[in-house]
Amino acid sequence: MSARIVLLVTSPRLPAGLLTAAAWDLVREHPVLAGAESELTTAVRAAGAEITVVDGPATQALLDTVAAHGTAVWLAGPAGDESLARQLGLRLAREPGLAEMELMYGSWDPPGARLLDAVAVLDRLVSPGGDPWKRAQTHRSLAGFLLEECYEAYDAISAGDTDALREELGDVLLQVVLHARLAEELPEEQRWNVDDVAGGLVDKMVRRNPHVFADAEAGTLEEITASWERIKRAEKARDSVLDGIALSQPALALAAKILERAGRIGLAVPPPLAESQVDAEARLGASLLATVAAAREADLDPEAALRRTTLAYAEAVRAAERETPSPDQSRS
């Protein structure tokens, strides 16, 4: 067999000893070199492998090991040791007879692995010695930021800008992970963490989708939606069909949601008449609610309709600004 150097790359986000069978065979059968001690070197050494930590240039150490044993394994660090791979590649390109270089993945990141990095970064920022601003925040002080980031994600969706959406969802995720990290500082009986958040989500999704995770028949989309609602009602004992509505959402959206919930159970509660109200604000509110009810009857989204018209009006204002001389220009 020709001389070879195997660069063994592993995921730093998985437990150190979680390697493929081929990787375990490799490190048990051949000498292993590494640039520093780590949890991975400890795990590999504990499994009976011989590991040498190189203090100095690694390229020559690997070539010397190959010359003595035929095969050498380099246990790459968390970042993959790309600079060493480049240096070694250049050397072997100049002197191809020294050895062949091979890349092996001993483990790799599963989908969602970078979420672990997000949790680790926020933990450092909120821990002692981290960012004073983040350490000073509370759930209440961050509430406005959560709304703002969600609105910015909504804007990206409305604009059809998927690159912006990716970035804005990152900002939403920041808020989620930050809230979860701050919750770890609550009194013990109130404390929870990001795993509690994720665990609750997983349990809910499995429970509410029996057509995927159990033996229930999928049926039509309408049947799946009805099943979701039945399971949700069984989970949450509520006194009213309106329980669970987010009352802090914009008023037009709130009105539409309340009308939709009432209509869902067949309640025909007429909105108040504008002319029967005692003051101007109440009359305006009743008139707006009647407009929302009419929009629902026409299967229109009043929030989206007003937003569309308002943004068009904003463009008209900008156009008028461009066509109207400023006061300074008019005096010149």
Side-chain angles (χ1 to χ4, degrees), residues 34-38 41 53-54 74:
E37 294 286 358
S38 65
T41 59
V53 175
V54 177
W74 179 260

Side-chain angles (χ1 to χ4, degrees), residues 42-242:
T42 301
V44 172
R45 191 178 285 118
E50 173 191 345
I51 297 184
T52 301
V53 175
V54 177
D55 183 16
T59 298
Q60 191 57 51
L62 282 166
L63 292 173
D64 292 344
T65 303
V66 166
H69 300 278
T71 295
V73 180
W74 179 260
L75 200 59
D81 295 351
E82 292 183 7
S83 61
L84 171 62
R86 285 195 298 271
Q87 294 171 10
L88 191 58
L90 290 172
R91 176 71 180 275
L92 296 180
R94 291 195 303 268
E95 302 177 68
L98 292 177
E100 295 179 354
M101 187 167 65
E102 176 184 332
L103 177 65
M104 175 182 285
Y105 286 94
S107 63
W108 49 88
D109 289 346
R114 294 308 301 271
L115 293 174
L116 299 176
D117 294 344
V119 172
V121 166
L122 265 295
D123 178 66
R124 181 174 179 184
L125 289 171
V126 178
S127 296
D131 177 28
W133 185 88
K134 289 181 178 61
R135 285 175 51 78
Q137 300 310 303
T138 65
H139 296 306
R140 185 172 295 276
S141 70
L142 289 170
F145 294 105
L146 178 58
L147 279 177
E148 181 180 346
E149 301 300 354
C150 289
Y151 283 137
E152 290 180 3
Y154 187 101
D155 285 346
I157 293 171
S158 298
D161 190 337
T162 55
D163 287 337
L165 177 60
R166 181 190 65 241
E167 179 180 353
E168 298 303 341
L169 288 177
D171 291 339
V172 173
L173 179 61
L174 165 63
Q175 294 298 313
V176 173
V177 179
L178 180 53
H179 276 282
R181 178 58 184 85
L182 291 174
E184 295 183 39
E185 308 296 324
L186 295 172
E188 186 172 356
E189 64 277 6
Q190 303 174 24
R191 194 173 302 161
W192 45 270
N193 60 31
V194 70
D195 286 318
D196 296 316
V197 175
L201 172 63
V202 169
D203 291 345
K204 181 189 296 184
M205 291 299 100
V206 171
R207 195 169 54 244
R208 293 188 184 178
N209 291 277
H211 57 288
V212 177
F213 299 103
D215 296 328
E217 293 292 333
T220 64
L221 289 178
E222 291 76 13
E223 291 170 340
I224 291 172
T225 302
S227 172
W228 175 285
E229 292 297 336
R230 284 194 304 271
I231 296 169
K232 186 175 178 180
R233 285 195 299 271
E235 291 173 355
K236 299 177 179 292
R238 288 174 169 168
D239 299 323
S240 169
V241 71
L242 303 183

Side-chain angles (χ1 to χ4, degrees), residues 221-292:
L221 289 178
E222 291 76 13
E223 291 170 340
I224 291 172
T225 302
S227 172
W228 175 285
E229 292 297 336
R230 284 194 304 271
I231 296 169
K232 186 175 178 180
R233 285 195 299 271
E235 291 173 355
K236 299 177 179 292
R238 288 174 169 168
D239 299 323
S240 169
V241 71
L242 303 183
D243 289 348
I245 292 178
L247 301 180
S248 58
Q249 63 185 295
L252 278 180
L254 174 62
K257 177 61 70 173
I258 290 175
L259 289 167
E260 185 270 330
R261 287 281 187 92
R264 186 186 299 176
I265 60 171
L267 281 179
V269 179
L273 297 175
E275 55 269 21
S276 66
Q277 304 305 305
V278 297
D279 60 68
E281 184 180 81
R283 286 192 293 274
L284 175 61
S287 177
L288 290 172
L289 183 58
T291 299
V292 174

